[in-house]
Amino acid sequence: MNRWLFHRLNTLLPTLMKKHGVGMWVTIGREYHEDPSLATLYPSAVDSSRRLTILVFTMESGILKRSVIHTNPDFEPFYERVWNPATEDQWECLVRLIKEKDPKTIALNTSNVFASCDGLTHSIFSKLTELVPRYTDRFISAEPLLVEWFSVRTRKELTAYPFIAEAAREIAATALSRNVIHPGITTTEDVVEWIRQKVLDLGLKTSFYPTVDLQRKGAAMDRIEGEIIRPGDIVHLDFGIEYLGIATDTQQLAYVLSPGEEKPPQGLISAFNKALRMEDIIMDELKPGVSGNDVFLRSTARMAEEELKGMIYTHPVGVHCHEAGALIGLYDLQGPVPIKGELPVTDQTLYALEFNCRDYIPEWGQEVPIYLEEPVAVIGGKAEYMAKRQTGFYLI
C-alpha cells in the first residue's frame, strides 16, 4: 500500500492537479473526525490525524510539492515536514505557506454531490476565512480532483485488483456451496453470519453488510430473507470485501437442486443466458469519455431491440464500495441520473457492473429476476472483467 501511495502521489496526483487547474490543494484532518480523503493520503504508519494534520499540495513550475504540517516523522518520504513548532503553530505555518506560494487557486474539500469529497468541516472553513481573508476569492471546490483521485486506479493497482476480486469471489463460491448450505436446515442469515466470520478470520472486512436472499417458485416476493434454504430455491448473494485499500462488490447466484435434478429447469438456464446477453451489451457500451447517462440510454435502447427486460444500476468502485464518479442508472431511477450520471466514464476506473434481467419461467409459471454484479475495469478504452465471469448458477 505504501508503494502504491508513493506511485499515486508521484504520477496520478500531479496529472489531476494540472487537469483541474488546482494551484494548491489543502486537506485538513482532526482526530476522530477525519476527512474521508485522508485515508487515501496517509502512509500505513499514520492511522489518524493525531489532533490536527494539514496536508498542502502545491504546483510549482509544473512540479508537485507535497508538504505536511505535523511533526510525525512517519510522513516522510511521502511528504516534507515544513512546520517548526518552536516558532509557529500549525495554523500560522499554513498561513505562511499560502502567502509564500501565492497560488491562483486553493482547492478545499467541499461538495454538494459526493459525500466523500465534502470532508472540510464548517468550523475549519470559518477558520480559514479568518486566517487568509484576502485569499477567499481563490477558494475552489476540490470535488473534480477528488472524484478522480478516489475513482482512478494506477497501473500497479489494476495489476493487483483481479487477485482482490478473485479473493472475494472465492469466499462467495464457498458460501454458495454444500460446505456452508445444507438444504432444509441452513437459513439465509446463517450464510450471512458465515461470510462475516470468514472475512474477519482472514483479517479483512466486508465493504458493506452482506445480503443473502431467495427466489422461490410460487412466492409473491422477488427476494425472500430470513428463510430456510430449500431444494428448488435460487440463492442470491450480494457481497464485497475491502483489501489493500480497495473495495469489491459482486452478486452471485446458486440453484438448490431438487431430488432427481442434475441441473436447473431449462427456463432458469434460459433466463440466466438472457442476463449474460444484457451484461454483454453494457460491457460494450462502457467506454471512457461517454457519460454515465449515455451508457445507460444506449444500453437500454439495445436491450429494447432484443426484447430484454431489465434494470441497470452500475456504479464505480474504488476506495469506497459506492465510489465517486459516473453513475449508470440507479435502482430507484431507471433513467438519466442528474449530475452524477452526467459525468464521463474515466479510463482506469473500476466498476461494479450491477443489473437484473427479468424473464418468464415456464416451469415456475412466473417471472423471475436474475440479479448479477461483476467487477470490471475500463482500461485502454474498453471494459474488461476483473474476475472470472459467472456464466451459470452454482449448483448446491
Side-chain angles (χ1 to χ4, degrees):
M1 289 178 70
N2 278 345
R3 289 196 298 270
W4 287 356
L5 174 60
F6 204 65
H7 185 242
R8 286 174 65 84
L9 291 173
N10 281 313
T11 60
L12 178 60
L13 188 54
T15 300
L16 297 180
M17 295 271 286
K18 294 173 186 176
K19 177 180 177 179
H20 298 290
V22 176
M24 175 182 283
W25 176 30
V26 179
T27 297
I28 303 171
R30 288 188 294 176
E31 197 171 20
Y32 308 124
H33 193 62
E34 305 284 358
D35 185 307
S37 67
L38 288 173
T40 71
L41 295 167
Y42 284 165
S44 61
V46 179
D47 58 8
S48 79
S49 293
R50 296 191 187 180
R51 297 184 177 85
L52 175 68
T53 296
I54 304 174
L55 297 177
V56 181
F57 304 90
T58 311
M59 293 301 298
E60 300 177 31
S61 301
I63 304 298
L64 177 64
K65 300 292 185 180
R66 309 187 303 266
S67 305
V68 61
I69 302 177
H70 204 284
T71 57
N72 186 351
D74 291 327
F75 278 107
E76 297 175 340
F78 304 88
Y79 306 94
E80 179 187 1
R81 290 183 291 156
V82 295
W83 176 36
N84 184 357
T87 60
E88 59 188 358
D89 65 25
Q90 287 168 280
W91 296 110
E92 289 170 338
C93 181
L94 175 60
V95 171
R96 174 173 59 79
L97 281 184
I98 292 174
K99 291 180 176 179
E100 286 177 359
K101 309 298 184 183
D102 193 30
K104 293 181 179 179
T105 57
I106 303 173
L108 303 175
N109 297 351
T110 61
S111 172
N112 292 321
V113 179
F114 295 104
S116 58
C117 304
D118 194 35
L120 185 70
T121 66
H122 176 74
S123 60
I124 292 180
F125 177 77
S126 298
K127 190 171 189 67
L128 288 173
T129 59
E130 293 173 5
L131 290 172
V132 286
R134 73 182 186 90
Y135 285 89
T136 56
D137 60 346
R138 305 186 196 185
F139 289 171
I140 61 172
S141 171
E143 179 191 284
L145 181 154
L146 271 174
V147 166
E148 294 194 54
W149 174 255
F150 279 126
S151 62
V152 174
R153 308 264 63 85
T154 64
R155 173 181 49 80
K156 293 178 183 291
E157 292 169 303
L158 289 173
T159 300
Y161 192 76
F163 297 93
I164 300 172
E166 286 291 355
R169 190 60 58 85
E170 183 178 335
I171 296 168
T174 304
L176 297 176
S177 75
R178 279 299 295 265
N179 291 328
V180 175
I181 296 175
H182 305 282
I185 299 173
T186 307
T187 68
T188 55
E189 286 107 332
D190 291 336
V191 182
V192 170
E193 290 175 4
W194 181 89
I195 292 169
R196 289 278 289 181
Q197 189 61 53
K198 180 65 174 179
V199 171
L200 289 172
D201 290 346
L202 291 170
L204 306 174
K205 62 180 180 178
T206 53
S207 54
F208 57 95
Y209 201 85
T211 299
V212 177
D213 52 66
L214 307 173
Q215 287 137 282
R216 178 173 291 166
K217 181 179 179 179
M221 298 173 60
D222 283 343
R223 297 171 65 171
I224 306 167
E225 296 185 55
E227 289 280 335
I228 293 174
I229 299 168
R230 303 187 184 282
D233 286 344
I234 296 173
V235 186
H236 165 251
L237 167 63
D238 191 357
F239 159 68
I241 62 172
E242 289 183 12
Y243 183 36
L244 298 176
I246 310 178
T248 75
D249 188 3
T250 189
Q251 293 183 46
Q252 302 276 275
L253 294 173
Y255 177 76
V256 185
L257 295 168
S258 295
E261 282 188 322
E262 295 182 356
K263 63 180 181 179
Q266 187 57 43
L268 289 180
I269 295 174
S270 176
F272 203 110
N273 288 334
K274 288 184 179 181
L276 293 178
R277 175 56 191 153
M278 182 173 164
E279 190 174 283
D280 289 339
I281 291 172
I282 303 169
M283 285 287 284
D284 188 48
E285 296 295 342
L286 188 58
K287 298 181 177 70
V290 180
S291 74
N293 287 340
D294 282 344
V295 175
F296 176 88
L297 293 171
R298 293 176 187 179
S299 298
T300 51
R302 290 176 61 179
M303 287 162 50
E305 290 175 1
E306 299 187 27
E307 298 183 344
L308 296 172
K309 183 180 180 182
M311 300 167 62
I312 304 173
Y313 31 96
T314 292
H315 59 87
V317 175
V319 178
H320 309 104
C321 179
H322 290 172
E323 192 53 272
L327 286 185
I328 303 166
L330 286 167
Y331 191 85
D332 55 355
L333 179 56
Q334 286 297 286
V337 178
I339 306 177
K340 293 181 180 181
E342 296 164 7
L343 293 175
V345 173
T346 49
D347 207 32
Q348 297 189 203
T349 298
L350 299 170
Y351 268 89
L353 198 159
E354 186 176 9
F355 67 99
N356 69 64
C357 185
R358 303 184 72 91
D359 197 30
Y360 181 78
I361 311 301
E363 295 89 341
W364 285 22
Q366 67 193 71
E367 197 174 68
V368 170
I370 301 297
Y371 294 98
L372 289 174
E373 186 174 19
E374 294 285 358
V376 304
V378 180
I379 305 174
K382 65 178 182 178
E384 299 181 10
Y385 288 97
M386 291 287 100
K388 186 178 179 181
R389 180 188 189 189
Q390 186 178 15
T391 56
F393 293 98
Y394 295 114
L395 298 180
I396 300 173

